[in-house]
Amino acid sequence: MKLMGRYRVVKPVRFFVCILIMVMGLSTLLFTVFGPSTEAAAADTYRQVVVHENETIWTIAEENCPSGTDPRIQVKEICEINDVDPGEIQPGDVLIVPVEA
């Protein structure tokens, strides 16, 4: 008595679509589990900077400005992220500064 038989694909298009959906689902699952975490991505885009004596937001922006970026844009982003005005910072304040990714 033979239990194993040969399988025949009756509708090749349906079979192909089914295999494609399974491969896409498996790859999505694997990327979700083993892919890059959002915490690591966020850590790479922002940095904490401690304000020192005689430092301004402008000097902090120039030091941490990605190459080719206008420091004025960086100053505006720093002020918006930290909800401060440029003249309000004091030595010892900690600012969150965007950095080049």
Side-chain angles (χ1 to χ4, degrees):
M1 190 156 101
K2 185 177 180 183
L3 295 176
M4 292 296 290
R6 294 191 69 183
Y7 292 103
R8 189 172 67 129
V9 177
V10 178
K11 296 185 179 187
V13 174
R14 183 181 286 175
F15 177 75
F16 175 74
V17 169
C18 181
I19 295 297
L20 183 65
I21 290 172
M22 287 191 303
V23 167
M24 288 173 54
L26 181 63
S27 63
T28 302
L29 176 70
L30 290 174
F31 183 76
T32 302
V33 172
F34 298 110
S37 68
T38 55
E39 293 172 5
D44 293 341
T45 55
Y46 294 99
R47 179 170 39 167
Q48 290 185 348
V49 175
V50 177
V51 179
H52 298 291
E53 191 70 33
N54 297 324
E55 269 191 326
T56 63
I57 291 183
W58 184 268
T59 58
I60 293 170
E62 285 181 328
E63 291 170 0
N64 296 284
C65 188
S67 57
T69 304
D70 188 359
R72 292 176 290 188
I73 296 171
Q74 190 84 347
V75 168
K76 182 179 181 229
E77 289 180 15
I78 293 170
C79 289
E80 288 175 356
I81 292 169
N82 295 285
D83 193 29
V84 296
D85 289 326
E88 291 181 353
I89 64 167
Q90 301 293 323
D93 288 349
V94 178
L95 299 176
I96 298 172
V97 178
V99 293
E100 189 171 12

